[in-house]
Amino acid sequence: MNAEQREQAEREQARRVLPPAAHPDPVPGRTDARRRHLLSEIDRQTRARSARPVLRPKRRMVLVLGAAVAAGAAVVVLSLGSGTTGAPNVPPASAASVQVLERAALAANATSQTKVLDGQYVYVKTVGYTSVLSENKAGQMELLREDDGMEQWTSVDGSEPTLQRKAGKDKLLPQEGPANLNSPTYNFLAVLPTDPHALLKQIREDVEKNHGAGSDSTTGPDQQAFVTIGDLLRNGVTPPATTAALYRAAALIPGVDIAPDAVDAAGRRGVAVARVHDGERTEWIFDASTNRLLGERTVLLKDNAWGKAGTVVTSIALISSGIATEAGQTP
């Protein structure tokens, strides 16, 4: 299949997966600009595919050691969104994924701007789970599923500790240093670049420090940038222009594709924008009608110690979010 045939196949796949957009078009002028952006991305992919072979680099799973769960029992936690090295042969984001992300961006821009004041809190409620490998007293490894659902209140300006509520228990998480891409506040997100290229450049510069060439990390800049953007999108409440820019920045990352049928931790079905690493597929799941982000999950594509191919090892669903006046109060 040549580049033109592959491009046509992806467009057909996108038309089958995606229904007509549920949101009305933005104000006159903005629609044309967004369409030009989308068409330029598809044209860029066609040119790039003609010059590049479609190859995927070998990747290594990242495991993180956790605390013991019982006397002599060690736990290994699967890190959500393990990464890749930035290999030159990874293809550009597929046309289908660019279309999904562009629709999500347009939906975000159509959302009214919430008035946010210093002293308020970003509220988010999630449900879901994380898989862990646990070594029991007999020395055998067991795969366990830990509840990772929570409610969380984060100070919009970082002046107050974050309140996290899990299983009915409250915990205060102090802001460690100034807000950053790994520990953002609403005010931090509000001043990020809204140009997708500038935003991705800033994210890449940040991840290069710990995951770029010469580091000991097995996570490469492309995958780590994808993971970072996913983390920021799950923040709960993000300024609409920032949200749109994050989606468009993700469309610039090589290796991004779609999974046509995905189910979040709350049982809601949607289409996923995804990236593959070492037999794992990290998915951002979107409602196909509203283009709203539903959640994220990690799926095994091949059998390994974590389970059989098709096993969902982590899954987080966004249930509700908003701006609260006080920590512990729901919007």
Side-chain angles (χ1 to χ4, degrees):
M1 180 181 292
N2 60 32
E4 184 178 353
Q5 290 171 328
R6 186 181 301 110
E7 191 69 30
Q8 182 62 34
E10 288 184 350
R11 292 185 184 188
E12 291 296 329
Q13 182 185 29
R15 280 194 288 269
R16 290 195 301 271
V17 170
L18 301 172
H23 289 270
D25 284 343
V27 295
R30 181 175 293 174
T31 299
D32 290 341
R34 297 303 181 238
R35 286 172 179 163
R36 286 195 298 271
H37 169 83
L38 177 58
L39 291 174
S40 68
E41 288 304 315
I42 293 175
D43 290 341
R44 175 182 64 81
Q45 292 162 30
T46 302
R47 292 192 300 272
R49 282 195 175 92
S50 298
R52 295 182 181 180
V54 180
L55 299 174
R56 295 188 183 275
K58 285 193 173 183
R59 305 171 179 117
R60 185 162 58 88
M61 179 177 286
V62 178
L63 302 180
V64 180
L65 292 178
V69 292
V75 176
V76 182
V77 182
L78 178 64
S79 65
L80 184 68
S82 49
T84 73
T85 56
N89 291 325
V90 177
S94 69
S97 67
V98 171
Q99 289 193 38
V100 174
L101 290 166
E102 180 61 17
R103 286 192 172 183
L106 290 171
N109 268 334
T111 305
S112 59
Q113 174 76 51
T114 302
K115 185 176 182 180
V116 179
L117 304 174
D118 286 348
Q120 293 183 314
Y121 292 81
V122 169
Y123 168 78
V124 61
K125 180 179 181 180
T126 61
V127 298
Y129 57 85
T130 299
S131 294
V132 299
L133 280 175
S134 172
E135 183 178 4
N136 58 29
K137 294 180 180 179
Q140 298 175 327
M141 299 303 293
E142 296 179 290
L143 184 65
L144 305 176
R145 179 176 288 183
E146 292 190 348
D147 184 3
D148 204 27
M150 70 177 74
E151 292 178 279
Q152 188 160 290
W153 292 261
T154 304
S155 172
V156 300
D157 57 6
S159 63
E160 299 294 336
T162 294
L163 172 62
Q164 187 180 89
R165 180 171 294 162
K166 300 183 72 172
K169 296 181 180 180
D170 289 355
K171 181 179 181 180
L172 290 177
L173 309 173
Q175 180 74 22
E176 298 181 0
N180 53 65
L181 289 169
N182 297 310
S183 181
T185 62
Y186 183 92
N187 288 358
F188 173 84
L189 295 170
V191 297
L192 286 175
T194 54
D195 174 81
H197 294 272
L199 179 56
L200 183 58
K201 181 176 182 291
Q202 180 172 329
I203 291 171
R204 282 188 185 280
E205 288 174 349
D206 184 81
V207 302
E208 281 280 358
K209 297 175 184 176
N210 298 312
H211 305 282
S215 71
D216 293 330
S217 173
T218 58
T219 308
D222 285 341
Q223 177 69 8
Q224 189 59 36
F226 186 77
V227 171
T228 297
I229 292 173
D231 291 343
L232 294 174
L233 289 168
R234 290 200 317 276
N235 185 61
V237 179
T238 305
T242 304
T243 303
L246 287 168
Y247 287 134
R248 293 188 174 114
L252 302 174
I253 299 174
V256 175
D257 206 343
I258 66 166
D261 188 25
V263 181
D264 74 2
R268 299 171 298 189
R269 192 172 298 275
V271 58
V273 169
R275 201 171 192 279
V276 173
H277 164 67
D278 194 26
E280 300 176 44
R281 187 173 62 232
T282 301
E283 302 176 353
W284 304 343
I285 305 171
F286 293 88
D287 185 297
S289 298
T290 66
N291 306 299
R292 181 172 64 90
L293 181 66
L294 299 177
E296 180 178 324
R297 70 178 188 173
T298 302
V299 182
L300 298 182
L301 300 183
K302 60 184 180 182
D303 297 352
N304 61 25
W306 298 97
K308 299 289 186 180
T311 300
V312 179
V313 289
T314 60
S315 186
I316 301 296
L318 299 170
I319 301 303
S320 61
S321 61
I323 298 296
T325 303
E326 299 178 2
Q329 176 190 78
T330 57

